Amino acid sequence: MIHHTIVDHLLFAFLLVIPLLEWKWGWPRYLAKLASGANGARLDHYRRLIAGEWLATIGLLVYWAVAGRTLEDLRLAGDAPLRLGMGFVYVVLLIGALFGQRRALLARPDRRARVRKALQFAEPLLPHSERERRIFWIVSATAGFCEEIFYRGFLTWYLSAWMGPVAAVLLASLIFGAGHVYLDIGQVPKTAFIGFIFAIVVSLVGSLWPAMLLHAAVDWNSGEMGFKLLSLASNSEPRPA
């Protein structure tokens, strides 16, 4: 039986309110800084993402321990090592396919233009320099670890008190998608579907760890794809005489 505290309700409200603040306030301010040519605006944004997600996650884990709850409730521990091992194998195969797809797309000039157009919504977030690229690797790892704990761990656990596991997974995936509304409202269902895929991995394996790896790899792959496309486009632009 799940017993919620006021802190649980506040954490749930946090997951609903913070994306709205980012959409209406944080993201527009960041875009304005980029447009103004502010030095290091993208790196500052990356650092803010990293610090914010880690602080929130550490706070959640400390609260979880103080409340006397188990890591099993967050899907961070379990007693099925074989399932966990098979989960990692499955995820590594998925990641290999994802990386292979990226290489194939980048090798085709006709496809590169379509992919860059598809990623245009995220261009302010994509790394544009080698230094930004390296920091984006940390952003990807942070998102993989922290967001899985919050959405596939805490949020699914929280919602399960009022609905069945399938409904909890679906609603948590929708909230995860809504958490990325700042990028573009059209990205909400797409991101929700990706979150649902992560949730399936967690449900099949019984652990967050393979989903964390997959989540980080998906974000890292998008960053690498965007960086390469932006670099190719920059090199192909005519230089002044």
Side-chain angles (χ1 to χ4, degrees):
M1 182 81 177
I2 295 175
H3 297 286
H4 291 147
T5 69
I6 186 63
V7 178
D8 296 318
H9 300 314
L10 289 174
L11 287 169
F12 176 65
F14 169 83
L15 291 176
L16 298 179
V17 172
I18 291 299
L20 294 177
L21 292 177
E22 181 68 16
W23 179 32
K24 292 298 184 179
W25 184 71
W27 187 250
R29 287 188 68 214
Y30 167 58
L31 294 181
K33 284 184 179 180
L34 280 182
S36 71
N39 187 38
R42 189 172 285 105
L43 286 172
D44 288 344
H45 186 68
Y46 288 169
R47 294 186 186 106
R48 183 171 68 87
L49 288 175
I50 294 166
E53 292 206 5
W54 277 108
L55 284 172
T57 302
I58 291 170
L60 170 62
L61 293 175
V62 169
Y63 158 67
W64 209 258
V66 170
R69 293 173 180 158
T70 67
L71 292 178
E72 285 85 351
D73 290 331
L74 282 178
R75 302 292 188 94
L76 285 172
D79 56 359
L82 181 59
R83 282 175 65 195
L84 180 61
M86 292 300 295
F88 273 117
V89 170
Y90 175 68
V91 163
V92 168
L93 291 175
L94 278 179
I95 293 171
L98 192 66
F99 292 176
Q101 182 188 48
R102 171 168 56 87
R103 288 193 296 269
L105 288 172
L106 291 173
R108 296 280 301 274
D110 56 322
R111 294 184 179 180
R112 289 203 297 259
R114 292 200 297 270
V115 174
R116 185 178 179 188
K117 185 177 180 181
L119 287 175
Q120 193 170 12
F121 74 94
E123 189 164 320
L125 195 58
L126 296 173
H128 287 57
S129 69
E130 189 61 41
R131 187 180 179 193
E132 291 173 358
R133 180 191 187 191
R134 291 193 297 270
I135 300 298
F136 193 83
W137 296 348
I138 304 175
V139 173
S140 301
T142 296
F145 185 83
C146 299
E147 292 178 14
E148 287 307 304
I149 286 179
F150 263 101
Y151 287 98
R152 256 63 66 185
F154 168 77
L155 185 56
T156 304
W157 169 88
Y158 178 87
L159 295 172
S160 296
W162 294 294
M163 58 192 72
V166 174
V169 162
L170 290 173
L171 184 54
S173 300
L174 182 59
I175 294 173
F176 174 72
H180 295 75
V181 67
Y182 66 93
L183 289 172
D184 182 77
I185 198 166
Q187 297 303 314
V188 170
K190 298 176 184 178
T191 311
F193 178 73
I194 294 173
F196 180 65
I197 298 299
F198 296 154
I200 289 176
V201 172
V202 174
S203 298
L204 291 176
V205 178
S207 170
L208 291 178
W209 294 104
M212 287 176 174
L213 177 61
L214 180 59
H215 188 154
V218 167
D219 286 7
W220 179 86
N221 190 63
S222 296
E224 290 295 290
M225 176 82 79
F227 176 75
K228 186 64 174 178
L229 290 171
L230 290 168
S231 299
L232 290 171
S234 177
N235 291 336
S236 66
E237 290 177 356
R239 301 183 182 275

